[in-house]
Amino acid sequence: KAGVTQTPRYLIKTRGQQVTLSCSPISGHRSVSWYQQTPGQGLQFLFEYFSETQRNKGNFPGRFSGRQFSNSRSEMNVSTLELGDSALYLCASSGSVGEKLFFGSGTQLSVL
Amino acid sequence: GENVEQHPSTLSVQEGDSAVIKCTYSDNASNYFPWYKQELGKGPQLIIDIRSNVGEKKDQRIAVTLNKTAKHFSLHITETQPEDSAVYFCAASGDTGTASKLTFGTGTRLQVTL
């Protein structure tokens, strides 16, 4: 069974640009969560989606948004990029809301 | 909100020895506590988890203990091997009581030397 797939693996952007990251959950999983990982702040929860609806949200500004499609695939978008947005963005899937999380390898975003 | 503290930040043990990593949490409502292992260039991998209605759980060389009164939980790895070298994260559920919206500790870098 394939794991959680995140694309692209690496991304370089400049300040002010926007970026879209993609996540395909484990087959049959219907819930997708996103986390930001940085050396300074560690792993922080961004949001959780289930059945195309946002179920939970972390303490990030409105520049961070996401969505989930009918096939459970998810995207997250960051607008007006700042240097501090440089991080590893991790997607995790679970069978349903609140069940065990399985992470992908992440997208490493660098903002110059 | 939930706050999770994790110690130590680095841990070096010899192959075959045991390793213990400790975490404390703040939210009384937390009742789900997973542990993740992260290797270089990879995402966190769930290695074991425990719910608050259980005091201890074991899976081969890995065990987790939970003291809900004191609000702390620990990861125990016995007979460590070089492939156990990685960064380990504890997490707590907060008031969701589930794996939704996990709060993570700051990580422990475990080095197993030959």
Side-chain angles (χ1 to χ4, degrees), chain A residues 20-23 32 34 47-54 64-77:
Chain A
T20 299
L21 312 181
S22 181
C23 172
V32 172
W34 289 88
F47 23 66
E48 177 185 38
Y49 286 87
F50 178 79
S51 291
E52 303 176 65
T53 302
Q54 188 178 91
F64 292 81
S65 62
R67 59 177 176 167
Q68 186 181 33
F69 302 96
S70 58
N71 61 359
S72 296
R73 195 176 68 84
S74 177
E75 288 180 347
M76 69 162 281
N77 184 277

Coordinates of all heavy atoms in Angstrom, one line a residue, chain A residues 20-23 32 34 47-54 64-77:
Chain A
T20 N 1.7 26.6 -3.8 CA 0.7 25.5 -3.6 C 1.4 24.2 -3.4 O 2.2 23.8 -4.3 CB -0.3 25.4 -4.7 OG1 -1.0 26.7 -4.8 CG2 -1.3 24.3 -4.5
L21 N 1.1 23.5 -2.4 CA 1.7 22.2 -2.1 C 0.6 21.1 -2.2 O -0.6 21.4 -1.8 CB 2.3 22.1 -0.7 CG 3.2 23.3 -0.3 CD1 3.8 23.1 1.1 CD2 4.3 23.5 -1.3
S22 N 1.0 19.9 -2.7 CA 0.0 18.9 -2.9 C 0.2 17.7 -2.0 O 1.4 17.3 -1.7 CB 0.0 18.5 -4.4 OG -0.9 17.5 -4.6
C23 N -0.8 17.0 -1.7 CA -0.8 15.8 -0.8 C -1.8 14.8 -1.3 O -3.0 15.1 -1.4 CB -1.0 16.2 0.6 SG -1.1 14.8 1.7
V32 N -7.1 14.4 6.1 CA -5.7 14.9 5.8 C -5.4 16.1 6.8 O -6.2 17.0 6.9 CB -5.6 15.4 4.3 CG1 -4.3 16.1 4.1 CG2 -5.8 14.2 3.4
W34 N -2.2 18.9 8.0 CA -1.0 19.6 7.6 C -0.2 20.1 8.8 O -0.9 20.7 9.7 CB -1.3 20.7 6.6 CG -1.7 20.3 5.3 CD1 -3.0 20.1 4.9 CD2 -0.9 20.1 4.1 NE1 -3.1 19.7 3.5 CE2 -1.8 19.7 3.0 CE3 0.4 20.2 3.8 CZ2 -1.3 19.4 1.7 CZ3 0.9 19.9 2.6 CH2 0.0 19.6 1.5
F47 N -3.8 22.7 9.8 CA -5.2 22.4 9.7 C -5.5 20.9 9.4 O -4.6 20.2 9.0 CB -6.0 23.2 8.6 CG -5.1 23.8 7.6 CD1 -4.5 23.0 6.6 CD2 -4.9 25.2 7.5 CE1 -3.7 23.5 5.6 CE2 -4.1 25.8 6.5 CZ -3.5 24.9 5.6
E48 N -6.8 20.5 9.5 CA -7.2 19.2 9.3 C -8.5 19.2 8.4 O -9.4 20.0 8.7 CB -7.5 18.4 10.6 CG -8.1 17.0 10.4 CD -8.5 16.4 11.7 OE1 -9.0 17.0 12.6 OE2 -8.2 15.1 11.8
Y49 N -8.5 18.3 7.4 CA -9.7 18.3 6.5 C -10.3 16.9 6.5 O -9.5 15.9 6.6 CB -9.3 18.7 5.1 CG -9.0 20.1 4.9 CD1 -7.8 20.7 5.2 CD2 -10.0 21.0 4.5 CE1 -7.5 22.0 5.0 CE2 -9.8 22.3 4.4 CZ -8.6 22.9 4.7 OH -8.4 24.2 4.6
F50 N -11.6 16.8 6.4 CA -12.3 15.6 6.2 C -13.5 15.8 5.4 O -14.2 16.8 5.7 CB -12.7 15.0 7.6 CG -13.5 13.8 7.6 CD1 -12.8 12.6 7.4 CD2 -14.9 13.8 7.8 CE1 -13.6 11.4 7.3 CE2 -15.6 12.6 7.7 CZ -15.0 11.4 7.5
S51 N -13.7 15.0 4.4 CA -14.9 15.2 3.5 C -15.0 16.6 3.0 O -16.0 17.2 3.0 CB -16.2 14.8 4.2 OG -16.2 13.4 4.5
E52 N -13.8 17.1 2.5 CA -13.7 18.4 1.9 C -14.0 19.6 2.8 O -14.2 20.7 2.4 CB -14.7 18.5 0.6 CG -14.4 17.4 -0.4 CD -15.3 17.4 -1.5 OE1 -15.4 18.3 -2.3 OE2 -16.1 16.4 -1.7
T53 N -14.1 19.3 4.1 CA -14.4 20.4 5.1 C -13.3 20.5 6.1 O -12.7 19.5 6.6 CB -15.7 20.0 5.9 OG1 -16.8 19.9 4.9 CG2 -16.1 21.1 6.9
Q54 N -12.9 21.7 6.4 CA -11.9 21.9 7.4 C -12.5 21.6 8.8 O -13.5 22.3 9.2 CB -11.4 23.4 7.4 CG -10.2 23.7 8.3 CD -9.7 25.1 8.2 OE1 -10.2 26.0 8.9 NE2 -8.8 25.3 7.2
F64 N -2.2 31.3 5.2 CA -2.2 29.8 5.1 C -3.6 29.3 4.9 O -4.4 29.5 5.7 CB -1.5 29.2 6.3 CG -0.1 29.5 6.5 CD1 0.3 30.7 7.0 CD2 0.9 28.6 6.1 CE1 1.7 31.0 7.2 CE2 2.3 28.9 6.3 CZ 2.6 30.1 6.8
S65 N -3.8 28.6 3.8 CA -5.1 28.0 3.5 C -5.0 26.6 2.9 O -3.9 26.2 2.5 CB -5.9 28.9 2.6 OG -5.3 29.0 1.3
G66 N -6.1 25.9 2.9 CA -6.0 24.6 2.4 C -7.3 24.2 1.8 O -8.3 24.9 1.9
R67 N -7.4 23.1 1.1 CA -8.6 22.5 0.7 C -8.4 21.0 0.4 O -7.3 20.5 0.3 CB -9.1 23.2 -0.6 CG -8.2 23.1 -1.8 CD -8.8 23.8 -3.0 NE -7.9 23.8 -4.1 CZ -8.3 24.1 -5.4 NH1 -9.5 24.4 -5.6 NH2 -7.4 24.1 -6.4
Q68 N -9.6 20.3 0.4 CA -9.5 18.9 0.1 C -10.5 18.6 -1.0 O -11.6 19.2 -1.0 CB -9.9 18.1 1.4 CG -9.8 16.6 1.2 CD -10.1 15.8 2.4 OE1 -11.0 16.2 3.2 NE2 -9.5 14.7 2.7
F69 N -10.2 17.7 -1.9 CA -11.0 17.4 -3.0 C -11.8 16.1 -2.7 O -11.6 15.4 -1.7 CB -10.1 17.2 -4.2 CG -9.3 18.4 -4.6 CD1 -8.0 18.5 -4.1 CD2 -9.8 19.4 -5.3 CE1 -7.2 19.6 -4.4 CE2 -9.1 20.5 -5.6 CZ -7.8 20.6 -5.2
S70 N -12.7 15.8 -3.6 CA -13.6 14.7 -3.3 C -12.9 13.3 -3.3 O -13.4 12.4 -2.7 CB -14.7 14.6 -4.4 OG -14.2 14.6 -5.7
N71 N -11.7 13.3 -3.9 CA -10.9 12.0 -3.8 C -10.0 12.0 -2.7 O -9.1 11.2 -2.6 CB -10.1 11.8 -5.1 CG -9.1 13.0 -5.4 OD1 -9.0 13.9 -4.6 ND2 -8.4 12.9 -6.5
S72 N -10.2 12.9 -1.7 CA -9.4 13.1 -0.5 C -8.0 13.7 -0.6 O -7.4 14.0 0.3 CB -9.2 11.7 0.3 OG -10.5 11.2 0.7
R73 N -7.6 13.9 -1.9 CA -6.3 14.6 -2.1 C -6.5 16.1 -1.5 O -7.6 16.6 -1.5 CB -6.0 14.7 -3.6 CG -4.6 15.1 -3.9 CD -4.3 15.0 -5.4 NE -5.1 16.0 -6.1 CZ -4.7 17.3 -6.3 NH1 -3.6 17.7 -5.8 NH2 -5.5 18.1 -7.0
S74 N -5.4 16.6 -1.1 CA -5.4 17.9 -0.4 C -4.3 18.8 -1.0 O -3.3 18.4 -1.4 CB -5.3 17.8 1.1 OG -5.3 19.1 1.7
E75 N -4.6 20.1 -0.9 CA -3.6 21.1 -1.3 C -3.6 22.1 -0.2 O -4.6 22.4 0.5 CB -4.0 21.8 -2.6 CG -3.8 21.0 -3.8 CD -4.1 21.7 -5.1 OE1 -4.7 22.8 -5.0 OE2 -3.8 21.2 -6.2
M76 N -2.4 22.7 0.1 CA -2.3 23.9 0.9 C -1.6 25.0 0.2 O -0.8 24.8 -0.7 CB -1.6 23.6 2.2 CG -0.1 23.4 2.2 SD 0.6 23.6 3.8 CE 0.7 25.4 3.9
N77 N -2.1 26.2 0.5 CA -1.6 27.4 -0.2 C -1.1 28.4 0.8 O -1.7 28.6 1.8 CB -2.7 28.0 -1.0 CG -2.3 29.2 -1.9 OD1 -2.2 30.3 -1.4 ND2 -2.0 28.9 -3.1

